[in-house]
C-alpha cells in the first residue's frame, strides 16, 4: 500500500515509465491501487488513447457510471471500467460478439493497427453479418446471429476501428508496469540505496543528476560533497546520507 500511496501523490521521480510531469498528473488524479491500474496508465498515456484517460479515471472512481453498449462487453471491458484499452480486448470483442477464431481475430487486429482500410471494410460486414463459405458452412457467426442488433454492432465496430490503430498490447504494458512497480517499491522502502544506484546510473547526464539530487533533498536524504577520503567511483550510501561519486566530477 505504501508504494501506491507514494505513486498517488505523484512522487514518481526515478520510477520507470512514470517520471514525466504528465504521468505524475495522471497518477495524482487516478490514485492507483493495483498493478492493473499501472498497466492501464502505461497503455493509455500515449497519443490517441490519451483521450480516454478522463473517462477511465472518472469511471474508476465512480463504478456506477460504467456503461456497456452490449451486455456481452461487460466481462471484456470491466477490468478497464468500460474503456477499450488493449489490443487483446479488441480480439476478445471479435471472438465473443461475432464468433471469430483466434487466428482470424488477430488478422483483423493487425489490419486495424496498420490502417488497411480495404480489409477493415470487408471485416466490418463479416463482423455484423457473419461469413458463410462456398460450401455453405458458417465460418463466422457474426453479431446478428449472436443477438447483437445491427446499430449496436456498427457502433462497437466504429469504436474499435478508431481505437485499434493506437491500441497497446497488454502483455507488453504488463511487463513495463511490473518493472515500474519494482522500481517504485525500492524507492519507497530503500530510498537511500535506490537513489544512490539511480544517481550512479546517470553519471554522464548532468541534467538528470541535478534532478535526482533535488529529489534526494526533497525526501530528506543529504547528498554529501565529493571527498578524496570517503568517495567511491559512484554514489554510495553513508549512514543516512549519500556520498557524491568521483566519476560524476567533470
Amino acid at each position: 500500500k505504501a508504494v501506491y500511496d507514494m505513486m498517488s501523490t505523484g512522487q514518481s521521480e526515478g520510477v520507470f515509465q512514470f517520471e514525466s510531469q504528465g504521468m505524475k498528473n495522471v497518477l495524482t488524479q487516478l490514485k492507483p491501487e493495483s498493478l492493473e491500474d499501472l498497466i492501464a496508465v502505461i497503455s493509455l498515456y500515449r497519443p490517441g488513447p490519451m483521450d480516454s484517460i478522463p473517462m477511465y479515471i472518472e469511471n474508476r472512481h465512480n463504478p456506477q457510471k460504467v456503461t456497456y453498449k452490449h451486455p456481452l462487453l461487460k466481462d471484456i471491458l470491466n477490468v478497464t471500467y468500460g474503456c477499450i484499452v488493449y489490443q487483446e480486448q479488441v480480439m476478445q470483442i471479435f471472438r465473443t460478439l461475432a464468433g471469430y477464431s483466434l487466428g482470424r481475430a488477430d488478422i483483423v487486429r493487425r489490419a486495424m493497427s496498420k490502417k488497411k482500410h480495404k480489409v477493415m471494410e470487408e471485416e466490418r460486414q463479416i463482423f455484423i453479418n457473419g461469413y458463410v463459405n462456398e460450401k455453405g458452412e458458417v465460418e463466422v457467426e457474426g453479431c446478428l446471429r449472436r443477438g447483437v442488433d445491427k446499430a449496436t454492432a456498427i457502433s462497437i465496430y466504429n469504436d474499435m476501428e478508431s481505437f485499434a490503430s493506437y491500441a497497446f498490447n497488454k502483455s507488453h504494458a504488463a511487463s513495463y508496469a511490473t518493472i515500474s512497480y519494482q522500481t517504485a517499491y525500492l524507492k519507497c522502502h530503500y530510498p537511500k540505496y535506490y537513489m544512490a544506484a539511480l544517481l550512479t546510473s546517470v553519471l554522464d547526464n548532468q541534467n538528470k543528476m541535478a534532478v535526482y539530487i533535488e529529489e534526494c533533498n526533497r525526501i530528506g536524504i543529504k547528498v554529501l560533497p565529493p571527498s578524496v577520503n570517503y568517495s567511491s567511483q559512484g554514489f554510495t550510501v553513508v549512514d543516512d546520507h549519500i556520498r557524491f561519486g568521483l566519476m560524476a566530477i567533470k
Side-chain angles (χ1 to χ4, degrees), residues 6 9 58 61 63 79 94 116 132 159 167 176 179 201 203 210 228:
M6 178 186 83
T9 53
E58 181 69 22
H61 294 308
V79 71
F94 272 99
K116 292 183 177 168
V132 180
D159 285 350
Y176 271 21
I179 296 171
S201 74
L203 287 174
V228 169

Side-chain angles (χ1 to χ4, degrees), residues 14-153:
V15 175
F16 178 65
Q17 290 282 311
F18 287 93
E19 291 193 279
S20 73
Q21 192 52 52
M23 271 294 200
K24 289 176 186 170
N25 293 342
V26 173
L27 287 175
T28 52
Q29 291 172 50
L30 178 67
K31 306 218 177 309
E33 291 174 356
S34 66
L35 198 63
E36 196 70 61
D37 285 336
L38 300 184
I39 295 169
V41 171
I42 286 173
S43 302
L44 286 167
Y45 194 80
R46 294 171 312 108
M50 245 178 187
D51 301 340
S52 299
I53 290 177
M55 180 179 156
Y56 181 87
I57 292 171
E58 181 69 22
N59 290 353
R60 157 78 158 58
H61 294 308
N62 305 285
Q64 71 279 9
K65 289 189 176 178
V66 178
T67 56
Y68 303 101
K69 287 188 174 173
H70 191 277
L72 286 173
L73 292 176
K74 188 178 178 188
D75 287 347
I76 301 169
L77 301 182
N78 60 357
V79 71
T80 48
Y81 311 103
C83 305
I84 301 177
V85 177
Y86 311 117
Q87 289 182 353
E88 288 88 341
Q89 287 175 317
V90 170
M91 288 175 65
Q92 275 179 289
I93 291 170
F94 272 99
R95 284 174 58 70
T96 305
L97 272 69
Y100 275 59
S101 66
L102 263 175
R104 191 176 186 106
D106 191 51
I107 288 166
V108 183
R109 177 195 62 76
R110 274 182 290 180
M112 280 184 164
S113 61
K114 293 192 172 121
K115 296 190 170 71
K116 292 183 177 168
H117 297 293
K118 186 169 175 286
V119 178
M120 276 146 55
E121 273 315 305
E122 286 167 8
E123 291 299 336
R124 176 192 291 273
Q125 297 310 316
I126 295 170
F127 178 74
I128 296 164
N129 302 309
Y131 176 67
V132 180
N133 66 17
E134 289 132 21
K135 296 177 189 166
E137 297 162 341
V138 177
E139 277 192 23
V140 179
E141 285 182 34
C143 287
L144 298 180
R145 283 189 184 85
R146 293 200 161 195
V148 182
D149 66 88
K150 191 167 186 178
T152 306

Side-chain angles (χ1 to χ4, degrees), residues 150-214:
K150 191 167 186 178
T152 306
I154 291 169
S155 175
I156 292 168
Y157 194 88
N158 290 345
D159 285 350
M160 290 193 293
E161 197 173 34
S162 61
F163 178 77
S165 53
Y166 307 111
F168 214 48
N169 55 349
K170 187 176 184 179
S171 47
H172 189 118
S175 309
Y176 271 21
T178 304
I179 296 171
S180 301
Y181 177 80
Q182 288 169 338
T183 55
Y185 181 91
L186 292 171
K187 185 186 176 188
C188 182
H189 294 291
Y190 304 95
K192 294 173 295 193
Y193 296 96
Y194 183 66
M195 294 309 291
L198 201 57
L199 281 159
T200 303
S201 74
V202 293
L203 287 174
D204 53 350
N205 186 334
Q206 292 284 312
N207 295 342
K208 272 279 185 213
M209 217 172 346
V211 169
Y212 292 153
I213 288 171
E214 196 180 313

